[in-house]
Amino acid sequence: LWARCVAAMVRHEPLVSLDSWRGVLLCHHHLQDDRVTDLELYRKDYQSCETVDLAENKFTHEALHYILPHCLQFSGLEVLKLYKNDIGDAGADLLADFCERSPALRELHLSHNRIKAHGAVVIIHAAERSRKAACTPLWLRLERNAVEHVGDIADALQQRLSVCLRCDRSVCNRGFCIHHCKVHLPFFLLQFDIPGGALNEVHTKQEPDSWEHIPKRPRLGDHSETPETGISESESSDWIPPPPPLPGFKADGSRTSPDLDSTKVRLFNRHIGHLSLGQGIQGIQDALLPQQPQPFPPALRPPR
């Protein structure tokens, strides 16, 4: 009798948990794409949710065609959690369009989704160009994916876009960036590699023992730090230094030796613009300049 009662309780357990007091919509039931409509995201009582947590399911990019248009209808949405799914690079364009349409989004969690370098750059670029400089930085979690050459990718992103790896947790947090960047990428350097299709962890610890090897944003000078804030006077000024030269080129735009920084040049060509070296420095710079938002694809048009 007790076993039948427990089975009945499990059978009638709601698929989606709604905490109206905190504004949280939660579903961690390992759902696949064919059950995504069971979420019933069209319900009116979901429209005021601030957090949508659909992590730890088995959704692919196909499920995003249902999830993201409805999330656009949530007027107060601030946090979207999709970590530990199977979205991959195929969902990068859909997520990029969602970021462009959601400038008020504060957090987007996409770790453990088998996203590679190209997909990560597409999402980061869209998130960066959709936010104004005065806005709270987007907390974008993309660690534990499959980003190749993650150190060089991070270096390139920091040089060309307003992104911060949040290396110093004492001065950067979810709501503030000491560098006034538009996007935070915490733990981005912790990635998987996928030889033969299997996930193998690149880093075994949650964080490296030292952050010295992480590419840092250019500093404004070696001045002493003020004891009140821990920020040097030059860093707190409004002056912004010129960006360092792109990999494979000198400061004046001329090309360096073919063997110098060949890996970074190849990464720029492969993941950021698909450019050839013959197009020169201006072509690579143009690929990372903010672009006009493209029309929302039919697949993500909000439902009527």
Side-chain angles (χ1 to χ4, degrees):
L1 178 60
W2 175 253
R4 288 198 299 270
C5 292
V6 171
M9 292 173 62
V10 172
R11 187 165 55 251
H12 291 91
E13 181 183 358
L15 187 64
V16 177
S17 173
L18 176 63
D19 187 340
S20 301
W21 179 258
R22 295 190 303 157
V24 176
L25 181 70
L26 176 68
C27 177
H28 292 184
H29 287 285
H30 302 283
L31 300 183
Q32 297 185 354
D33 292 346
D34 57 353
R35 295 197 61 192
V36 66
T37 55
D38 294 345
L39 297 174
E40 299 180 343
L41 297 179
Y42 56 82
R43 289 174 48 174
K44 294 296 183 182
D45 53 337
Y46 292 169
Q47 302 298 310
S48 59
C49 289
E50 297 179 0
T51 299
V52 175
D53 188 350
L54 302 179
E56 299 183 24
N57 287 289
K58 298 180 180 179
F59 294 140
T60 70
H61 66 283
E62 295 292 344
L64 298 182
H65 291 280
Y66 177 84
I67 295 172
L68 298 183
H70 284 94
C71 286
L72 287 173
Q73 303 302 304
F74 293 8
S75 57
L77 183 64
E78 296 182 352
V79 180
L80 177 59
K81 297 183 179 181
L82 292 169
Y83 61 88
K84 291 188 178 180
N85 279 284
D86 196 13
I87 295 174
D89 275 6
D93 289 332
L94 298 174
L95 290 165
D97 290 323
F98 175 76
C99 289
E100 292 182 350
R101 304 277 289 197
S102 307
L105 193 68
R106 293 192 299 109
E107 298 181 24
L108 180 58
H109 298 249
L110 297 172
S111 63
H112 299 83
N113 267 294
R114 297 177 180 265
I115 298 174
K116 296 185 179 180
H118 178 75
V121 169
V122 168
I123 297 170
I124 295 169
H125 191 193
E128 191 268 351
R129 69 170 178 257
S130 66
R131 303 183 77 82
K132 297 180 180 179
C135 292
T136 301
L138 176 66
W139 188 261
L140 180 55
R141 297 286 296 268
L142 280 167
E143 79 276 10
R144 308 297 190 192
N145 278 293
V147 178
E148 312 96 321
H149 307 287
V150 62
D152 294 322
I153 290 291
D155 192 8
L157 289 170
Q158 288 186 108
Q159 291 182 28
R160 296 291 98 192
L161 301 179
S162 179
V163 299
C164 173
L165 296 181
R166 203 204 56 150
C167 299
D168 190 346
R169 291 182 292 179
S170 63
V171 294
C172 286
N173 52 49
R174 294 172 187 260
F176 175 76
C177 178
I178 194 63
H179 305 292
H180 306 289
C181 290
K182 297 180 181 180
V183 179
H184 267 148
L185 296 174
F187 314 112
F188 181 66
L189 296 179
L190 305 181
Q191 298 292 333
F192 294 110
D193 59 353
I194 314 183
L199 285 176
N200 296 312
E201 218 170 340
V202 177
H203 302 280
T204 58
K205 296 183 179 181
Q206 180 67 20
E207 295 184 9
D209 294 331
S210 173
W211 292 95
E212 295 179 356
H213 68 283
I214 297 177
K216 297 182 179 180
R217 297 182 60 81
R219 291 191 170 272
L220 306 184
D222 297 328
H223 297 276
S224 60
E225 293 183 345
T226 59
E228 294 79 12
T229 61
I231 308 169
S232 64
E233 294 180 0
S234 59
E235 287 179 336
S236 62
S237 65
D238 295 331
W239 181 76
I240 301 176
L246 287 169
F249 298 91
K250 298 180 181 179
D252 58 0
S254 60
R255 194 179 303 167
T256 60
S257 171
D259 297 331
L260 184 61
D261 286 331
S262 60
T263 300
K264 293 184 181 180
V265 173
R266 186 173 66 255
L267 289 168
F268 266 94
N269 295 341
R270 178 180 177 185
H271 302 298
I272 309 178
H274 302 286
L275 301 173
S276 63
L277 289 177
Q279 292 178 271
I281 187 172
Q282 188 60 44
I284 296 179
Q285 288 176 334
D286 293 341
L288 286 177
L289 289 177
Q291 302 175 1
Q292 294 296 328
Q294 298 297 322
F296 216 56
L300 279 184
R301 286 176 184 165
R304 294 182 179 179

